[in-house]
C-alpha cells in the first residue's frame, strides 16, 4: 500500500479537528435545484429556438424574439442554480436568486426550517428574516442535515 501524497499546504497531515472545521464551514449548495434549473434552462433555449425556426409567418424580429425569450429563461434558471451560502469565521455570505447579503454571526439569532418552508430561514437581530436558498427542502434528508449544520455554526459563533 502506498502512502497518501503530501497535502498542498506542505504538511504531511492535517488534524481531525481541522478537517471537521473545514467540513463544518463548507459552502451550502442545494443538489436538486441547480440540476433541475439547468435542464429547464437548456430545454427553454432548445424549445424557443425550434419555435423560431418552424413557426410559419414570422418576421426576422419575431424569430429573434423567440430566441431572446429562451435565453432569458435560461439566464433566470442559471440564477436559481447559483444560490449558495458561504460561511467563514466572521459570518455568512448568502447569494439567493436576486439578492446577496453578508451577515456577521452576531446578526443571526435563529435558524428555522419548519412550517413547510422550501428553504432555511434566518431570524436576524434587527427583527427581519432572510431566506437561505442554498439549503432546500427538496434535498430531503440532506437538506435537513444542512439546516442542522447551519444551526450548529450559528450556535458555535454566537456563544
Amino acid at each position: 500500500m502506498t502512502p497518501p501524497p503530501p497535502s498542498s499546504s506542505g504538511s504531511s497531515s492535517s488534524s481531525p479537528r481541522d478537517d471537521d472545521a473545514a467540513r463544518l464551514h463548507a459552502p451550502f449548495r442545494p443538489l436538486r435545484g441547480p440540476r433541475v434549473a439547468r435542464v429547464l434552462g437548456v430545454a427553454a433555449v432548445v424549445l424557443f429556438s425550434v419555435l423560431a425556426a418552424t413557426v410559419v409567418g414570422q418576421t426576422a424580429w419575431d424569430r429573434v424574439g423567440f430566441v431572446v425569450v429562451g435565453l432569458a429563461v435560461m439566464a433566470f434558471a442559471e440564477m436559481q442554480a447559483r444560490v449558495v451560502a458561504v460561511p467563514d469565521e466572521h459570518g455568512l455570505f448568502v447569494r439567493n436568486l436576486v439578492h446577496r447579503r453578508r451577515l456577521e454571526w452576531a446578526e443571526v439569532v435563529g435558524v428555522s426550517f419548519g412550517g413547510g418552508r422550501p428553504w432555511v430561514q434566518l431570524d436576524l437581530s434587527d427583527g427581519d428574516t432572510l431566506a437561505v436558498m442554498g439549503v432546500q427542502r427538496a434535498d430531503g434528508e440532506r437538506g435537513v442535515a444542512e439546516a442542522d449544520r447551519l444551526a450548529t455554526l450559528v450556535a458555535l459563533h454566537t456563544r
Side-chain angles (χ1 to χ4, degrees), residues 111-123 137 144 147-148:
V111 178
S112 57
F113 197 38
R117 290 186 181 105
W119 39 74
V120 162
Q121 193 121 356
L122 300 178
D123 298 319
R137 186 166 304 284
V144 172
D148 290 344

Side-chain angles (χ1 to χ4, degrees), residues 28-38 40-41 72-84 95-98 118-119 132-136 138-139:
F28 295 91
R29 297 180 193 279
L31 290 179
R32 293 181 185 164
R35 292 176 188 158
V36 170
R38 287 185 172 121
L40 289 177
V73 170
M74 186 170 92
F76 181 80
E78 185 60 27
M79 288 170 43
Q80 173 64 40
R82 291 180 180 233
V83 298
V84 67
R95 180 174 58 212
N96 285 336
L97 189 62
V98 177
W119 39 74
V132 179
M133 296 175 74
V135 181
Q136 298 184 357
D139 288 335

Side-chain angles (χ1 to χ4, degrees), residues 90-109:
H90 305 288
L92 182 68
F93 171 75
V94 178
R95 180 174 58 212
N96 285 336
L97 189 62
V98 177
H99 297 147
R100 297 172 183 189
R101 185 163 177 189
R102 171 79 184 162
L103 299 166
E104 297 299 319
W105 288 119
E107 294 178 74
V108 182
V109 295

